[in-house]
Amino acid sequence: QVQLQESGPGLVKPSQTLSLTCTVSGGSISSGSYYWSWIRQPAGKGLEWIGRIYTSGSTNYNPSLKSRVTISVDTSKNQFSLKLSSVTAADTAVYYCARDYPPLAWFDPWGQGTLVTVSS
Amino acid sequence: NFMLTQPHSVSESPGKTVTISCTRSSGSIASNYVQWYQQRPGSSPTTVIYEDNQRPSGVPDRFSGSIDSSSNSASLTISGLKTEDEADYYCQSYDSSNQRVFGGGTKLTVL
């Protein structure tokens, strides 16, 4: 079955850009009508949806983060990526990637998550 | 955007039944499907209910979901509580502009 795995630097300096990649295995990122989402969770807090992308490149972003977020897809590598600019300590969180099934807006499966700390 | 409001925490004894509510602030709860996720410490969320009341394979039938239009809320009910059910539970839905929203999460303690 489809599995997702996040990767990227675990430490980012304030004001810099956070960059993460999600690799999809066990199936093609282009198959089906799925979108691919990023979700984050600060320590001890709840889940926050960041945004999603379709393999055509069509995106939707959380309005609260839209000015700083870019999500892209590389179908040749079966990957999609997140860039979050001008980060602050408030962006410190576990970042998850997940498959987004549009008719239901259902996130399944999820990656294992990767902790990104923003600190100098 | 709308919000989904959940109780911060609930607790119940093993063998009992507990219900976690999720109230939508604007827009009809019945207009957009609701999902429920279970998250144990140190793990990724997993689905216990999707499409308001459907259980993925492998999720026991002790878990059920429902929608109440009169209170504009969704509910997750867990019957025959087991200690292994102790976790954080999140509801999630969306709106017509394709914004996905999570509830704040409910910590379930089985004591």
Side-chain angles (χ1 to χ4, degrees), chain A residues 28-55:
Chain A
S28 170
I29 198 171
S30 300
S31 67
S33 301
Y34 299 109
Y35 277 70
W36 303 90
S37 275
W38 287 98
I39 296 154
R40 70 179 183 177
Q41 184 175 37
K45 296 189 178 181
L47 300 163
E48 179 180 36
W49 177 70
I50 299 171
R52 68 174 191 165
I53 190 165
Y54 190 60
T55 49

Side-chain angles (χ1 to χ4, degrees), chain A residues 88-112:
Chain A
T88 69
D91 295 309
T92 295
V94 174
Y95 286 76
Y96 297 99
C97 57
R99 186 174 67 178
D100 179 334
Y101 184 46
L104 310 179
W106 175 21
F107 298 114
D108 188 270
W110 297 58
Q112 66 181 33

Side-chain angles (χ1 to χ4, degrees), chain A residues 35 37 39 41 45-49 52 60-63 96 100-108 110-113, chain B residues 1 33-35 37 39 42-47 49-51 56 90 92-94 97-104:
Chain A
Y35 277 70
S37 275
I39 296 154
Q41 184 175 37
K45 296 189 178 181
L47 300 163
E48 179 180 36
W49 177 70
R52 68 174 191 165
N60 298 102
Y61 297 131
N62 186 324
Y96 297 99
D100 179 334
Y101 184 46
L104 310 179
W106 175 21
F107 298 114
D108 188 270
W110 297 58
Q112 66 181 33
Chain B
N1 260 17
Y33 292 117
V34 176
Q35 278 66 241
Y37 304 94
Q39 186 180 34
S43 297
S44 306
T46 59
T47 308
I49 294 290
Y50 68 97
E51 199 176 337
Y90 294 89
Q92 175 259 315
S93 190
Y94 58 104
S97 61
N98 292 312
Q99 295 297 305
R100 277 84 167 107
V101 174
F102 289 94

